[in-house]
Structures are given as structure tokens and as C-alpha cells.
Amino acid sequence: MDIRHIAVIGAGTMGHGIAQVCATNGYQVTLIDVVEEQLDRALAAIRKSVEKLHRKGRLSDEQREAGLNNIATASEVAAAAPADFVIEAVVEVLDIKEQVFATLDEVTRPEVILASNTSSISITELGAVTRRPERVVGMHFMNPVPLMKLVEVIRGLATSDESAATVVALAEALGKTPVEAQDYPGFISNRILCPMINEAVYALMEGVGTREAIDTVMKLGMNHPMGPLELADLIGLDVVLNIMEVLYAGLGDDKYRPCPLLKRMVAAGHLGRKSGRGFYTYD
Ligand code: CAA
């Protein structure tokens, strides 16, 4: 299918990053969020990011123009109706995602693929609320989307080969490297990443080392670009906790139990960069 127009549902950090990458790679984008102020914040963040990448020579003049001009905004999911492809990136709450998928199934053409950027919710379950489960696929981008090369492509139980191949081709057209994963809790990325972060929080809670010591060991000793606690702040501690809960419930092994300190920090609203405070503090 010829894809020209992509609708992105949800204008948070992931949604606006995805919209930006689609636009700078020549797609017409409609970015949709029910919270209108979120759309204003998203457009401002996209502008800042596009200008920065252009200044650094990582985007051409033409890509800059496209990034600044090819994104329309809307505040109702129904605005996805004319799109040739949809990427959902709303909050990680099953009921909300199911509602969005049911609406998308109503308003978009039956041949349109509905992709989800979910980091933890079953693609098979999302497919089951639509009449086109063979066209429901996971398309999991990494944060920060404009800089990270990976897109994890997740097949639900009913996802067709053709739909998975279309998503792989689209990820490549966006300049990303797609990797396929099956629909098990956490897929590949978060099955491995989040237990590592959770273990780092245990090490902090038990006083094995300070936050700086833990992050420095992983940066200088293992060549990770960021330490696990810094990275948790970037991802959002609520997101990490939610993924650990999904792993624990879905796989049933004690090794996935969320660290009590992680739970306490989320309960206190210390969610990382987005709330100004997590393991570190931010302006
Ligand atoms: N757009 C444009 N520029 C951006 C940007 C964005 N969205 N985000 C950051 N930058 C800029 C920074 O501002 C910085 O600019 P300056 O050089 O002008 O200061 C530049 O990019 C990169 O800065 P650094 O020199 O610090 O670069 P770095 O080499 O450390 O790269 C990084 C930054 C790519 C974020 C790197 O630290 C990294 O790879 N960190 C790990 C990120 C990661 O693991 N992400 C996955 C999270 S998991 C996930 O997303 C999935 C999930 O489901 C939870």
C-alpha cells in the first residue's frame, strides 16, 4: 500500500518524536491529542529538535522544511480518517488504548495498518478489539526518537506477514533499523532493559553504591551511554514500574518483582525528568 499520510495518536514525548521523524522523512503527518496544550508543547519541542539537528548538519534544508511544515494537528481520534497508516502512542493504559483502537477501526479505511508504539501492552489484545487483527502491529520506537536507530516490530498472534513486512519497510524509510519480536511481555527491549534498571534501583536501595557510583560503573565499565538510573529518569519511573509490573504479572517469575524503592518514588511523584525529580533533579 502506498503510504503518504501518517496519523500519530498521542503527542507526548514518544508521539511527537515519531511525528517529527515521519515528517522529516517526507510523510504528511496528522498529530492527534485530546489535550490541546499538549499539541502546542509538542510542536514547540519538534521545532527545537528539528532546528538543532539541522544546525548540526543531521537534517538537510529540505528535511528541516518538511519537519517544520508537514505536521497538522487535531484533537479528535476521528481526524485519523484519511490516513494511510496510523501509529498510536497514547498513555500505557489498556482501557484507553483499547478505546483508541476501537475508534481507529471505525474511522479508518479497512486496509489501513494500525500500529502501536506500546512498550508493554499485548499487540494481540489490541488487535482483538478491532475487526482487522491481521493489520495490528507493534512499532516500538526508542526515546529520544529522532536519535535512536531501533524500531522493534512486534507481531501479535494474528498479525499477517504482509502487515509486518509493511511496518519493517516503513521503519527503514524513516531511517531506522527494524528488529522483529514476538508478542511476549516486554518484547525483547524491555524484557532485558527494565530488569537491569530495576536491579540498579535495588543496588541503590540496599546501599551497594551511590546513584553516581551505579551509573558510573555502567557507563565506564560497560560503555553504556547513560547509567541505568539516569536512563530511568529519561524513560520515566512510572513507565519503568509499569513495565516491571507487566513482566511480573505476565511471566510470573519473582525475578521481575518491582523494587520497593521504585514504587515509593513513583508514589511520591518523583517520575524523572518529566516531573523535575527522579534519581537526579532537573531544572
Ligand atoms: N532532538 C534533537 N537533539 C536531541 C534530542 C532530540 N530529541 N535529544 C537530545 N538531543 C541532543 C542533546 O541536546 C545533545 O545536544 P548538544 O550536543 O547540542 O548538547 C545531543 O543530542 C546529544 O548529546 P550528547 O553529546 O549527550 O550525546 P550522546 O552521544 O550521549 O547521545 C543519547 C544522547 C542518544 C540520548 C545517548 O545518551 C543514549 O543513547 N542514551 C541511551 C538512550 C536509551 O537507552 N534510550 C532507550 C530508552 S528505552 C525506550 O525508549 C523504550 C521503552 O519502551 C522504555
Side-chain angles (χ1 to χ4, degrees), residues 49 52 56 119 140 142-143 148 190 193 225-226 231 235:
S49 173
K52 189 163 205 172
K56 289 183 173 176
S119 51
H140 184 207
M142 303 292 128
N143 183 14
M148 303 298 286
N190 285 320
L193 175 68
M226 300 169 87
L231 184 54
I235 295 170

Side-chain angles (χ1 to χ4, degrees), residues 140-158:
H140 184 207
F141 291 80
M142 303 292 128
N143 183 14
V145 179
L147 304 185
M148 303 298 286
K149 294 293 282 181
L150 180 71
V151 170
E152 211 175 10
V153 177
I154 302 109
R155 285 173 185 244
L157 201 63

